[in-house]
Amino acid sequence: MSSATEKLYLLISESVRDGSFRKAVFSKPVEKCSDGPSRIDVRPVSVKGRVQLQVTRRIGAQECHENIDAKEGVALMHRFSGLMFRDVHFGTSAAEWTARHSRKGKCTLTKRETTGTPSESDTSHNRNRQYLIPDGEACPFLVATGIMSADGRVRAKHYAKFRQINRYVEFIRDVADHLPRDGAIDIVDFGCGKSYLTFATHHFFRHVAGRDVRITGLDRRRDVVDTCNTVVRDLGLDDIQFCVGDIADFKPVGQVHLAISLHACDTATDDALSAAIAWGTDVILAVPCCQHELSSHLPKDGLPLFSDHGILHEKFSSLATDAIRANLLECAGYETRVMEFIDMEHTAKNLLIRAIRRISGDTATTVGSREQMQAFCRQLSIPPLRLQQKLEEYGLL
Ligand SMILES: C[S@@+](CC[C@H](N)C(=O)[O-])C[C@H]1O[C@@H](n2cnc3c(N)ncnc32)[C@H](O)[C@@H]1O
């Protein structure tokens, strides 16, 4: 073994031991064969509070992932370096290393510091590193959807979408502690559409959090469902499926832990919320879209100042609908927050209703909330809206 290869091995094993290891990428296989990996990525992941190494092998267009303990991971990386792959890029919290192995086995090791006064490009690199899905590391669904090039660089024209996806993934990360800690997490994405965010949810749980998932994306449009299932097949994913159907008719196979409904039209959001509450879903994330129900019930002269201006009337109706939804979720036993969501380009609706099931209900608060909501509806002279009707029908209020 050359001294550079030996040094590389020591650097990798020490960084894994002291926790400074960030990633290693092995490319340029020594022997090219179609059924062998063309690239292997290794990164630390936390699994049930323990640090493990996630090894991702890319074979053709598919990727397979394996979480292994640190000692085994270090031994594998030792085998990958030089013996199986000529190029190794390896990063710690302090430096980036590149090792290149010639055909004769000579290893050249170079180092680039990432601490000290950062240059402009280093600053942007560090900023990128804070993304849960980083720029510069090929993420299969972003490559498949054209947001990233095959080598993991985000295409300039898709940068805004890339940032939005990352922001969304942060919302998912923030609720992860309220989901079961063991076993697979069951997720339904209602009105998934083209499913960038469904794939982002899958990526977060599988590759960032190192958790097993079973995801169902539901949409009434066959064309989008077919397209999403093609991506699933191309990426070789067996824990995500897309089905055609209406939210109001969907019946899950088992317990659902996380229900997502992003920009589903009008009262489809209420169908998603009522279904998720009825199943006792742990966490619900909903971004409502184009509410018309309350607006259609408001008496013409019911809102004097607002009704003189169509846009104000519409915005008031949307906000009042979301306030009622949030209140009903509270009444049904969910800790609820309404937060600013990301501005996706196809819609200006950017309020996220985040509801986390309470472990034990606070009856006093629940009764108080319901009375407040009923008084609000009386003020507006509107009948119970769809979500309330459904929850009453299911005996959940
Ligand atoms: C604006 S897209 C949003 C897609 C995705 N959730 C996102 O936020 O990027 C809304 C999707 O919801 C679907 N949808 C609306 N109402 C639905 C219903 N009642 N049942 C199933 N899908 C529905 C539409 O077909 C459409 O694909």
Side-chain angles (χ1 to χ4, degrees):
M1 198 192 313
S2 77
S3 63
T5 309
E6 210 167 308
K7 184 169 179 192
L8 174 70
Y9 174 60
L10 280 175
L11 285 166
I12 291 179
S13 51
E14 270 169 27
S15 68
V16 171
R17 201 172 319 120
D18 68 19
S20 60
F21 175 75
R22 292 290 174 270
K23 65 170 181 187
V25 178
F26 301 86
S27 56
K28 289 213 181 139
V30 171
E31 284 178 21
K32 284 214 166 91
C33 62
S34 57
D35 56 354
S38 57
R39 169 182 163 139
I40 296 181
D41 291 42
V42 182
R43 61 160 76 186
V45 287
S46 168
V47 181
K48 294 181 197 158
R50 268 185 54 224
V51 175
Q52 292 203 321
L53 294 180
Q54 181 168 82
V55 181
T56 303
R57 292 177 171 79
R58 184 168 318 151
I59 303 172
Q62 301 201 351
E63 290 202 336
C64 67
H65 308 273
E66 181 188 15
N67 292 344
I68 56 180
D69 74 32
K71 208 168 150 195
E72 196 186 339
V74 170
L76 265 184
M77 287 194 273
H78 187 30
R79 236 170 15 92
F80 297 156
S81 318
L83 293 176
M84 286 177 64
F85 293 91
R86 287 192 210 292
D87 286 2
V88 183
H89 293 280
F90 150 65
T92 68
S93 49
E96 300 261 334
W97 299 83
T98 302
R100 295 193 200 285
H101 296 80
S102 71
R103 285 186 195 283
K104 291 187 178 161
K106 186 169 176 281
C107 174
T108 320
L109 188 62
T110 50
K111 178 185 180 185
R112 192 166 67 88
E113 301 283 347
T114 55
T115 53
T117 312
S119 67
E120 204 177 301
S121 62
D122 278 340
T123 315
S124 69
H125 175 73
N126 285 339
R127 221 183 287 138
N128 284 337
R129 282 170 62 129
Q130 287 163 14
Y131 283 135
L132 286 166
I133 305 176
D135 184 2
E137 282 179 35
C139 167
F141 87 91
L142 292 178
V143 174
T145 47
I147 291 175
M148 273 182 177
S149 59
D151 66 353
R153 308 233 165 263
V154 177
R155 295 184 204 279
K157 64 177 179 186
H158 293 310
Y159 220 90
K161 183 139 215 140
F162 171 73
R163 262 198 305 269
Q164 289 159 352
I165 290 172
N166 264 294
R167 180 72 192 104
Y168 164 77
V169 172
E170 287 172 10
F171 284 110
I172 295 286
R173 178 203 52 198
D174 292 348
V175 296
D177 280 353
H178 299 278
L179 297 167
R181 288 179 191 272
D182 296 315
I185 299 170
D186 279 279
I187 301 171
V188 175
D189 188 351
F190 292 111
C192 54
K194 289 185 189 157
S195 299
Y196 291 104
L197 301 181
T198 326
F199 285 110
T201 306
H202 176 269
H203 184 85
F204 170 77
F205 282 114
R206 287 291 288 113
H207 307 305
V208 182
R211 297 291 311 270
D212 288 337
V213 283
R214 281 184 290 259
I215 302 187
T216 302
L218 180 80
D219 205 287
R220 60 186 175 194
R221 282 181 52 187
R222 176 162 294 283
D223 58 337
V224 292
V225 166
D226 287 347
T227 307
C228 294
N229 277 326
T230 304
V231 176
V232 165
R233 268 195 305 279
D234 290 348
L235 298 180
L237 306 175
D238 57 7
D239 46 9
I240 177 165
Q241 53 157 353
F242 292 93
C243 325
V244 180
D246 196 285
I247 296 171
D249 305 326
F250 180 75
K251 302 268 178 301
V253 177
Q255 178 62 36
V256 175
H257 305 115
L258 170 62
I260 300 169
S261 166
L262 306 175
H263 309 111
C265 321
D266 202 8
T267 50
T269 297
D270 301 297
D271 295 338
L273 292 175
S274 55
I277 296 169
W279 304 330
T281 304
D282 297 303
V283 177
I284 306 171
L285 298 177
V287 177
C289 187
C290 59
Q291 295 97 332
H292 303 300
E293 190 192 12
L294 187 146
S295 175
S296 69
H297 288 306
L298 272 175
K300 279 215 166 13
D301 53 354
L303 276 179
L305 295 181
F306 287 86
S307 301
D308 294 341
H309 307 278
I311 179 87
L312 293 182
H313 183 91
E314 188 203 313
K315 279 188 186 286
F316 175 86
S317 304
S318 294
L319 290 174
T321 306
D322 288 340
I324 291 172
R325 285 173 172 148
N327 180 282
L328 287 166
L329 278 156
E330 283 282 348
C331 293
Y334 283 79
E335 188 84 41
T336 306
R337 275 186 69 190
V338 180
M339 309 158 85
E340 183 155 25
F341 192 57
I342 42 183
D343 265 323
M344 301 297 281
E345 62 226 345
H346 58 270
T347 171
K349 308 289 171 182
N350 68 340
L351 285 188
L352 169 76
I353 301 178
R354 186 184 85 178
I356 297 171
R357 195 160 59 90
R358 277 195 216 98
I359 303 300
S360 58
D362 178 342
T363 320
T365 313
T366 301
V367 172
S369 309
R370 193 159 179 202
E371 279 171 359
Q372 273 182 327
M373 193 263 299
Q374 282 167 334
F376 182 56
C377 292
R378 271 197 305 276
Q379 260 178 327
L380 295 178
S381 311
I382 54 164
L385 299 184
R386 186 173 176 101
L387 181 57
Q388 184 177 344
Q389 289 168 22
K390 287 205 136 194
L391 294 181
E392 281 171 352
E393 186 189 320
Y394 300 158
L396 293 167
L397 281 180

